[in-house]
Amino acid sequence: MFGDRRERGMTSRRSFLERSSTGFGAMALAGLMNDSAFAGSTDLPADAGLKKTHHEPQAKRVIFCFMSGGVSHVDSFDPKPMLKELHGKPMPVSIERTQFNNNGNVMASPFDFKPSGDSGLAVSSMFPKLASVADELAVIRSITTPVNEHAQGNFFMHSGFPFMGYPSAGAWCAYGLGSENQNLPGYVVLQSGNAVPPHGGVSLFSNGFLPAQHQGSILQADKPEAIRNIQALAPAMAQRQRLDFARTFDNEFLAASSGDAQVEAAIRNYETAFRMQSSVPELCDISGETKATHTLYGLDSDDPEKAAYARQCLLARRLIERDVRFIELSCLTKGIGAGGAANPWDQHGDLENGHGAMGFQVDQPIAALISDLRERGLLDETLIVWAGEFGRTPFSQGSNGRDHNPFGFSVWLAGGGVKGGTAYGATDELGYHAVEDKCTVYDLWATVLHQLGINHEKLTYRYSGRDMRLTDVHGNVLHDVLS
């Protein structure tokens, strides 16, 4: 009988249900999309990889301030008086192989350190504004990485692997927890001015083998069109009708592919792109922000790079208000002493001027972001991560720069349930190797996931016959930096 139906072009009940079932799912999804936020503290959206968080989260969203190029820890958050005592003298310990092996003598920091805040946390004069919010910072002074080159270091810091093809931490967070705002991507990378992706390119923001809707979406914060072709070329109603028409064919293809996750992700991305046509211009329109807010962040600065980075920080706050899960900010290159567009903190020479210029660029905007989130009651549920891909050597490269140092460097966390005014771990008296509470990039991301309510060992995705995870087979939560 069914053979006769097929010959006459009729559809069997099995085929009908197979094809229409995706339509039922799409209808349910459309209903969910009417809510701008539908995630509770433990129950997660329908698009989340997890059904519930593993424990009560301390944070809901993450802002990643990535200092591409490698900030010198001994010039920022890890003071080493011994460098001043030994300045100009040969290193008293053996030197590991460096990137360029043009190694000089011990080099004292050209920046002063002072105790800051009620906690007395030591912060470099490079960051006077961040010093004013020192009691919000949990500085980890003993991070290590196994790689010593920019692209590998960038990939490792972003994904836990030193090469492309693996999901970024932002993609993992978006995948695990789903989207709280269906009008915007779950993972947004902000750029402005002359900012470009660090060495490694846009693959640093990749979804890897995770469904495609979790990849980072680059948003140009100060361009008339923040995302290319985002402006509608037809009335919204006409576009809606076209999208609905296309969806009927998409759903048939999805059913024929047995619900392939990548096909489903592509269909979801069409819907998100349609919704972004109105949400992105509204997000980027900061004309409604007060003059005091512009001044707080540094948007009115005469320095174009500082003003451009300030816009990213302000948009980061606006994205947090719109429940975007993971936001990454991008540094801009800065003429004098800069390491290059892709790695502006990379001062192999003229470190004082180069680091000084980069510090001036990001100091006020990030401090303002912390203060503004605190004032609006959003800091406790927002985890800020500040990190480069490695640190820098305590000895000079040439006469006045520093080479890469993966053996011990500093990152810091703020908000999201961390213990502010804390210094955790330590490098040796020269700032060369981590010697106390040595930890890894895996530990950093395990801690971030923990604050989001995720057991990092249980957030997995089956790929190539293996349950993959952000922390690979490593990682320990750094409970001592948590409140």
Side-chain angles (χ1 to χ4, degrees):
M1 179 176 66
F2 292 119
D4 294 336
R5 286 185 178 182
R6 283 193 292 268
E7 289 173 1
R8 295 195 300 267
M10 299 178 67
T11 302
S12 68
R13 283 175 296 177
R14 178 179 298 175
S15 177
F16 170 79
L17 290 172
E18 179 180 310
R19 293 188 181 192
S20 62
S21 63
T22 56
F24 299 150
M27 290 171 64
L29 179 61
L32 286 171
M33 284 180 170
N34 288 327
D35 296 330
S36 61
F38 47 84
S41 60
T42 54
D43 293 314
L44 296 173
D47 65 333
L50 302 173
K51 298 302 181 184
K52 291 179 178 290
T53 55
H54 298 124
H55 51 265
E56 191 70 26
Q58 297 301 305
K60 296 180 180 179
R61 292 166 286 279
V62 177
I63 298 174
F64 186 21
C65 300
F66 187 57
M67 303 290 108
S68 52
V71 184
S72 172
H73 54 294
V74 297
D75 295 297
S76 56
F77 294 99
D78 191 5
K80 295 298 175 184
M82 182 64 71
L83 298 184
K84 185 172 290 187
E85 294 181 24
L86 298 178
H87 179 71
K89 297 180 180 179
M91 278 285 284
V93 298
S94 61
I95 295 177
E96 308 273 2
R97 179 179 174 84
T98 57
Q99 182 72 12
F100 294 100
N101 282 325
N102 181 20
N103 304 326
N105 294 324
V106 174
M107 178 178 163
S109 175
F111 303 100
D112 297 322
F113 285 80
K114 67 175 183 179
S116 303
D118 294 336
S119 61
L121 184 71
V123 180
S124 160
S125 59
M126 193 195 319
F127 297 119
K129 298 294 186 181
L130 280 171
S132 70
V133 293
D135 290 336
E136 303 285 5
L137 311 183
V139 178
I140 305 169
R141 291 175 171 166
S142 52
I143 291 283
T144 62
T145 177
V147 294
N148 195 31
E149 183 271 333
H150 288 294
Q152 291 182 336
N154 292 334
F155 277 118
F156 195 82
M157 180 57 75
H158 279 77
S159 70
F161 293 86
F163 32 76
M164 68 176 64
Y166 290 87
S168 168
W172 276 111
C173 291
Y175 162 71
L177 298 177
S179 174
E180 290 186 298
N181 185 336
Q182 295 290 342
N183 296 331
L184 291 166
Y187 175 21
V188 173
V189 179
L190 293 172
Q191 294 179 353
S192 57
N194 59 25
V196 299
H199 284 307
V202 295
S203 294
L204 295 171
F205 320 130
S206 172
N207 59 294
F209 40 74
L210 296 177
Q213 73 263 28
H214 303 303
Q215 67 182 330
S217 296
I218 297 176
L219 194 154
Q220 300 288 342
D222 53 0
K223 295 288 178 64
E225 198 174 34
I227 297 178
R228 292 177 60 187
N229 302 316
I230 197 65
Q231 294 179 355
L233 299 179
M237 182 61 70
Q239 286 188 295
R240 179 75 268 173
Q241 291 173 342
R242 292 172 186 170
L243 189 62
D244 290 342
F245 180 69
R247 185 188 290 167
T248 61
F249 299 101
D250 291 338
N251 286 339
E252 287 191 7
F253 184 71
L254 178 61
S257 66
S258 300
D260 183 272
Q262 298 301 336
V263 175
E264 186 176 6
I267 297 171
R268 188 187 300 273
N269 283 342
Y270 296 148
E271 181 69 36
T272 303
F274 170 72
R275 292 173 175 269
M276 287 167 62
Q277 290 181 342
S278 60
S279 58
V280 168
E282 183 274 332
L283 164 73
C284 295
D285 181 5
I286 60 173
S287 60
E289 299 284 349
T290 66
K291 185 178 186 302
T293 298
H294 282 238
T295 300
L296 174 69
Y297 280 84
L299 279 156
D300 54 1
S301 174
D302 293 334
D303 184 275
E305 287 79 22
K306 178 179 178 179
Y309 194 81
R311 183 177 288 266
Q312 289 186 47
C313 287
L314 178 55
L315 285 191
R317 189 215 79 201
R318 291 170 65 86
L319 285 163
I320 289 296
E321 291 175 317
R322 288 156 178 78
D323 298 316
V324 170
R325 187 70 70 184
F326 196 103
I327 303 144
E328 180 167 344
L329 278 62
S330 307
C331 288
L332 294 78
T333 191
K334 182 68 184 177
I336 183 168
N343 52 329
W345 281 97
D346 190 34
Q347 274 76 60
H348 291 274
D350 201 8
L351 180 132
E352 181 175 6
N353 283 322
H355 263 43
M358 291 306 301
F360 182 74
Q361 177 189 133
V362 306
D363 177 45
Q364 179 182 344
I366 296 177
L369 175 60
I370 293 172
S371 299
D372 201 10
L373 289 171
R374 172 62 71 197
E375 180 68 22
R376 295 169 186 267
L378 294 169
L379 186 60
D380 287 340
E381 61 184 39
T382 304
L383 181 59
I384 300 175
V385 181
W386 184 96
E389 63 266 42
F390 37 60
R392 307 201 81 83
T393 58
F395 49 89
S396 68
Q397 180 183 349
S399 61
N400 58 2
R402 298 191 193 275
D403 210 325
H404 308 167
N405 181 13
F407 308 114
F409 60 102
S410 299
V411 306
W412 58 255
L413 307 174
V418 306
K419 190 185 302 181
T422 299
Y424 173 81
T427 53
D428 57 39
E429 60 184 1
L430 297 170
Y432 197 13
H433 292 83
V435 293
E436 180 182 318
D437 295 319
K438 182 178 177 181
C439 50
T440 68
V441 172
Y442 302 116
D443 300 330
L444 173 65
W445 290 122
T447 304
V448 170
L449 292 177
H450 177 83
Q451 293 306 90
L452 293 172
I454 298 173
N455 181 332
H456 71 101
E457 294 181 344
K458 295 182 179 179
L459 178 61
T460 63
Y461 190 88
R462 191 74 174 177
Y463 174 71
S464 192
R466 177 185 169 194
D467 288 333
M468 308 296 293
R469 53 183 237 225
L470 172 59
T471 52
D472 195 22
V473 295
H474 312 282
N476 296 290
V477 176
L478 303 176
H479 290 284
D480 288 346
V481 304
L482 306 179
S483 57

